[in-house]
Amino acid sequence: MRMTEGVEWALHSCLNLAWAGPDRPVTAARLAAYHELPAPYLNKQLQALVRAGIVASTSGPRGGFRLVRPLAQITLMDVVAAIEGPDEAFRCTEIRQQGPGGGAPASYRLPCAFAHAMARAELAWRRELAGQTLEDVREQAEAQAPAAPERLRRWLANG
Amino acid sequence: MRMTEGVEWALHSCLNLAWAGPDRPVTAARLAAYHELPAPYLNKQLQALVRAGIVASTSGPRGGFRLVRPLAQITLMDVVAAIEGPDEAFRCTEIRQQGPGGGAPASYRLPCAFAHAMARAELAWRRELAGQTLEDVREQAEAQAPAAPERLRRWLANG
DNA sequence: GAATCACTACTCGGATAGGGTGTGTCCGAGTATACATGG
DNA sequence: CCATGTATACTCGGACACACCCTATCCGAGTAGTGATTC
């Protein structure tokens, strides 16, 4: 089981957008260059964030992306769902119904016990993701590197 | 994010092995036929369970697979780890260190705040998986379909 | 009749191809800006 | 000097190839059973 690379990019991009401030949008090319990421592909991930209503985009000169709401109102779950999609990791294909092992169809009113157990675990995962906001992460990140926000702003201004 | 199909197969196979009883091993071909699965590929998954020490294999005539320990001592985490591998879903590639965004290396003693947050969620997921044994699932499954174990044993005997 | 040996059939195990999803890239639609032009 | 229309440059957005991992498969190594053979 492996999560898409784009999730990490989207998370850092959201944090960078918050540090950049709401004054003017930041283009995908700038966000990508700041961490040496392929710009068109990061653009693709940002589009997913737009569809999820996390960031907003502006076309044309002086356009770019900006956060729609403050970091405190963006959970990790929001970003993961935006990039990875809403599907669950474990998808029960109901093999119990196939072949000689599949008995009377009346037994299949209730969901597969394995699927239920796996869903329970995924629920715990989602709950934990939904309980942490990007604001929490920002505080930790700034405690580790207090100069990071200012460095980003300078780099954006001088570019 | 998507979990391998083989996890579902491995889980049902373990349950079927428990229902078959410890008297004699069951071949991969029989286990596969019972749910109309591709036999060679299921064999591959069973090999992973062997490497993980969950089932044991016997070669030659009257060979096959059998459970090493009772279902109560096999957690969902054991099976998932055996099939999916030990790697975490979210793998931090430390993009924060790349490009102009990467500041002084001294800031990177501590792990990335995003990676820490994601790891916390995955820990909750793993904890939930480790808290449920196959015995728990067996009880639920037999409550839903009490005839299932006997049907499997009959089918194995008549095959 | 019993033990031994070789043969056979059967099973797992790892090495080998194909398909789907993520990864990376490109070009076109749309817009704010800047400039030239006319009043 | 100011308003207007136009051309321009820049940005996002979706459509297009490539690569890797999961899926599916095959054949060889090893083993238990079986039968013939010999003492």
Side-chain angles (χ1 to χ4, degrees):
Chain A
M1 195 170 60
R2 191 177 146 209
M3 184 169 289
T4 302
E5 190 80 22
V7 171
E8 184 184 3
W9 302 3
L11 290 171
H12 281 280
S13 294
C14 284
L15 184 56
N16 285 337
L17 284 177
W19 281 340
D23 297 340
R24 52 183 165 190
V26 184
T27 69
R30 304 302 294 276
L31 282 173
Y34 196 60
H35 289 305
E36 284 180 351
L37 303 175
Y41 191 34
L42 177 62
N43 191 9
K44 193 185 185 71
Q45 312 299 341
L46 291 172
Q47 287 175 29
L49 293 182
V50 170
R51 281 190 292 271
I54 297 173
V55 305
S57 62
T58 310
S59 289
R62 302 183 68 80
F65 296 91
R66 69 177 195 280
L67 285 176
V68 168
R69 52 185 193 266
L71 291 183
Q73 294 176 25
I74 305 174
T75 68
L76 292 179
M77 186 71 247
D78 296 331
V79 177
V80 169
I83 304 296
E84 288 284 330
D87 292 343
E88 296 191 355
F90 181 85
R91 261 158 282 184
C92 182
T93 59
E94 292 288 337
I95 65 168
R96 59 175 181 163
Q97 297 187 26
Q98 300 175 1
S107 309
Y108 304 135
R109 297 280 176 77
L110 295 164
C112 175
F114 283 120
H116 181 68
M118 297 297 282
R120 217 176 120 177
E122 286 199 35
L123 184 63
W125 178 70
R126 288 187 145 77
R127 203 183 296 275
E128 197 71 25
L129 285 181
Q132 294 179 291
T133 69
L134 294 192
E135 175 68 18
D136 303 329
V137 177
R138 184 177 74 88
E139 291 175 6
Q140 278 197 26
E142 292 188 6
Q144 290 183 18
E150 187 57 26
R151 178 167 64 244
L152 172 62
R153 277 191 288 270
R154 282 182 189 276
W155 183 82
L156 287 175
N158 293 4
Chain B
M1 195 171 59
R2 190 177 146 210
M3 185 169 288
T4 303
E5 190 81 20
V7 172
E8 184 184 4
W9 302 2
L11 289 171
H12 281 281
S13 295
C14 285
L15 184 56
N16 286 337
L17 284 177
W19 281 341
D23 297 341
R24 52 183 167 190
V26 185
T27 70
R30 305 303 295 278
L31 282 173
Y34 196 60
H35 290 304
E36 285 181 349
L37 303 175
Y41 190 34
L42 177 62
N43 191 8
K44 193 184 185 70
Q45 312 299 340
L46 291 172
Q47 288 175 29
L49 293 181
V50 170
R51 280 191 291 271
I54 297 174
V55 306
S57 62
T58 310
S59 290
R62 302 183 69 80
F65 295 92
R66 69 176 195 279
L67 284 177
V68 169
R69 52 185 193 265
L71 291 185
Q73 294 177 24
I74 304 174
T75 68
L76 292 179
M77 186 70 248
D78 295 332
V79 177
V80 170
I83 304 297
E84 289 284 330
D87 293 343
E88 296 191 354
F90 181 85
R91 261 158 283 185
C92 181
T93 59
E94 293 288 339
I95 65 169
R96 60 174 179 162
Q97 297 187 24
Q98 299 176 0
S107 309
Y108 304 134
R109 297 280 176 76
L110 295 164
C112 174
F114 283 119
H116 181 68
M118 298 296 282
R120 214 175 122 177
E122 285 198 36
L123 185 63
W125 178 69
R126 288 185 145 79
R127 203 184 295 275
E128 198 71 24
L129 286 180
Q132 293 178 293
T133 70
L134 294 191
E135 176 68 19
D136 303 329
V137 177
R138 184 178 73 88
E139 290 176 6
Q140 279 197 27
E142 291 188 8
Q144 291 183 17
E150 186 57 25
R151 179 167 64 243
L152 172 61
R153 279 191 287 270
R154 282 182 188 277
W155 183 81
L156 286 175
N158 293 4

